[in-house]
Amino acid sequence: MSRRVVVTGMGAITPIGLTVDDFWKSLVEGVSGVDYLTKFDTSEYATKFAAEVKNFDPTRYMDRKIARRMDAFTQYAVAAAKEAVEHSGLEFEKEDPFRVGVVVGSGIGGLKKFEDEVRKLVEFGPKRVSPFLIPMMISNISPGYISMIYGVKGINYSPTSACATAAHAIALAYREIKYGNSDVIISGGSEAPLTHVGISGFNAMHAISEENDNPKKASRPFDATRSGFVMSEGGAIVILEELDHAKARGAKIFAEVVGAGMTADAYHITAPDPEAIGAANAMSLAIREAGLKPEEVDYINAHGTSTPHNDRMETEAIKKVFGDYAYEIAISSNKSMIGHMLGAAGAIEFIASILTIRNGLVPPTINYEHPDPECDLNYTPNKAVKKEVRTAISNSFGFGGHNVTLAVKRFDE
């Protein structure tokens, strides 16, 4: 049994917009969401900037008492889910609750709550630790809350695969619907890692940029002078729905999900395989499931972290899959503007891929100024480009060697 799966709703909480419309407007205008960190004193930190979500008030989306019992990563997931559900027009009281699920991931979970309670434990002893510590920090609490808010009782799950988390969530949701286990799934990811431990941990790995003099220029995917990624936060949610179910209720269909590829590098805990075999196979699997030829892919939303190794590896992977056509295809990295949302990145970049198809406009890779001979493809430098895009793929790669590619195309009857 194989069914068609479509996207009928989208929601986004990002450093460049608190709605899907605002996110997209900023993205195509090349607005950077990166600036100096305001969440804590960074005077002792090697990196003093990030892409923060700004002007976010959780009480716009949920009861104040409930919001106080959530870490920010859950607030972002719930807020993005609210926009996506409203966008979809779903009325859950009309649905079989066991045919509607939630698959929403987080790479790290409630890091801020964990830090706060460890500090209390050290200073005041174990009796001062909050009874809400565990339910606030576990990464699966986001789909738990979303299921309770909407009363849906189908699959409820939270994958964790570092920066491939949200893409894994969407891939799994797509397969659940495709093979008949669910009719509707709320899916995506969220992350809130801009904390003492988050910044210091990635600093210790030398994974993030330390260019404190000019934060807005710090994320430079595929540029020869790139020096690491920029930490970020936020949430992104999509509504995936079986085609006939969507048509029966008169839903607006934004795109069709047509393929997913999932592989491992089996190479290193943090570095990507320089041979790019796992990443290339993820792309090939997604394209094959979609029933496409490589030259039918019009756009690649790159993982594009702005780290020396990742961007070189992704370029090599694209060349392995697309051959000479790799030089013609439009590519761009949203992380040049929104930073790296870690466990949420795959979902917001999937949304950007859908909007690229719908608007016929490829968002730019900003801060691209110095060509790298080892990254010599068309990364859509600095300005959005008008282009008919019928089919797109979105890449996500995570520490541990996790590779996911999602394939999406314009919906046609």
Side-chain angles (χ1 to χ4, degrees):
M1 182 180 185
S2 179
R3 310 188 301 170
R4 295 174 70 183
V5 181
V6 294
V7 180
T8 56
M10 299 178 282
I13 300 293
T14 81
I16 58 172
L18 301 181
T19 65
V20 168
D21 287 346
D22 288 347
F23 160 71
W24 176 249
K25 182 174 184 295
S26 297
L27 198 70
V28 297
E29 291 178 354
V31 175
S32 173
V34 183
D35 211 333
Y36 292 106
L37 266 162
T38 63
K39 292 178 181 293
F40 58 91
D41 179 4
T42 60
S43 57
E44 295 185 6
Y45 290 76
T47 295
K48 305 178 189 305
F49 58 89
E52 293 178 321
V53 168
K54 305 164 189 70
N55 304 315
F56 176 75
D57 178 1
T59 62
R60 289 179 55 196
Y61 308 92
M62 64 201 83
D63 179 82
R64 185 180 301 275
K65 183 178 179 180
I66 293 175
R68 290 180 61 186
R69 293 180 176 178
M70 292 179 181
D71 187 273
F73 89 98
T74 303
Q75 294 174 352
Y76 297 152
V78 169
K82 183 172 183 181
E83 183 188 12
V85 169
E86 290 177 356
H87 203 203
S88 74
L90 277 163
E91 298 176 81
F92 290 110
E93 64 275 15
K94 296 180 179 178
E95 302 292 332
D96 177 347
F98 292 98
R99 299 288 299 173
V100 182
V102 187
V103 183
V104 173
S106 176
I108 299 176
L111 197 55
K112 177 67 165 56
K113 183 60 179 175
F114 178 73
E115 281 184 20
D116 291 346
E117 296 304 316
V118 167
R119 191 174 296 114
K120 286 164 61 176
L121 173 66
V122 172
E123 293 182 4
F124 306 110
K127 291 185 179 178
R128 294 291 297 273
V129 171
S130 168
F132 294 103
L133 166 60
I134 301 303
M136 286 179 72
M137 67 171 284
I138 53 177
S139 57
N140 60 300
I141 198 64
S142 292
Y145 265 114
I146 293 168
S147 70
M148 287 183 274
I149 290 168
Y150 296 110
V152 296
K153 300 179 179 180
I155 183 175
N156 196 275
Y157 182 57
S158 183
T160 294
S161 54
C163 308
T165 292
H168 265 128
I170 293 170
L172 295 170
Y174 159 63
R175 295 271 168 79
E176 279 289 310
I177 297 172
K178 178 175 180 177
Y179 295 115
N181 297 321
S182 302
D183 294 326
V184 178
I185 296 186
I186 302 166
S187 186
S190 68
E191 205 76 88
L194 304 182
T195 72
H196 294 279
V197 169
I199 297 295
S200 61
F202 280 100
N203 265 153
M205 295 170 61
H206 302 292
I208 55 176
S209 173
E210 299 177 4
E211 298 185 33
N212 295 308
D213 292 339
N214 195 355
K216 291 189 182 300
K217 292 274 190 178
S219 185
R220 302 191 292 276
F222 305 107
D223 186 280
T225 66
R226 63 192 182 277
S227 61
F229 71 81
V230 173
M231 295 272 285
S232 179
E233 61 177 347
I237 299 290
V238 291
I239 306 297
L240 301 190
E241 190 166 353
E242 192 273 325
L243 174 60
D244 289 339
H245 185 279
K247 291 169 70 172
R249 66 181 187 86
K252 185 174 182 179
I253 295 171
F254 297 98
E256 181 173 4
V257 190
V258 287
M262 295 176 273
T263 67
D265 280 354
Y267 175 74
H268 190 270
I269 57 171
T270 56
D273 175 6
E275 298 296 323
I277 296 169
N281 278 338
M283 281 189 267
S284 294
L285 288 168
I287 293 168
R288 186 172 72 187
E289 184 172 21
L292 298 168
K293 299 175 183 176
E295 58 269 26
E296 292 179 302
V297 175
D298 301 309
Y299 170 65
I300 299 174
N301 189 298
H303 188 56
T305 57
S306 185
T307 63
H309 295 305
N310 180 85
D311 292 357
R312 187 184 309 125
M313 180 281 294
E314 187 167 17
T315 299
E316 178 63 24
I318 292 169
K319 290 178 181 178
K320 282 184 186 298
V321 175
F322 294 95
D324 290 341
Y325 180 60
Y327 293 89
E328 299 179 35
I329 193 167
I331 303 166
S332 62
S333 171
N334 304 154
K335 293 183 179 73
S336 60
M337 290 165 276
I338 61 174
H340 195 341
M341 290 166 62
L342 306 183
I348 194 62
E349 292 164 9
F350 179 69
I351 288 173
S353 300
I354 293 169
L355 295 171
T356 298
I357 292 170
R358 289 188 61 79
N359 293 292
L361 190 60
V362 177
T365 302
I366 69 166
N367 300 325
Y368 184 90
E369 297 172 347
H370 308 90
D372 179 347
E374 293 186 296
C375 298
D376 56 351
L377 303 179
N378 173 18
Y379 306 108
T380 319
N382 302 311
K383 288 187 178 180
V385 173
K386 290 184 179 179
K387 174 183 171 67
E388 182 179 12
V389 176
R390 296 183 58 82
T391 306
I393 62 171
S394 179
N395 288 334
S396 295
F397 311 129
F399 284 166
H402 308 287
N403 308 301
V404 182
T405 297
L406 301 171
V408 61
K409 72 177 187 179
R410 182 185 301 171
F411 172 68
D412 293 315
E413 290 286 349

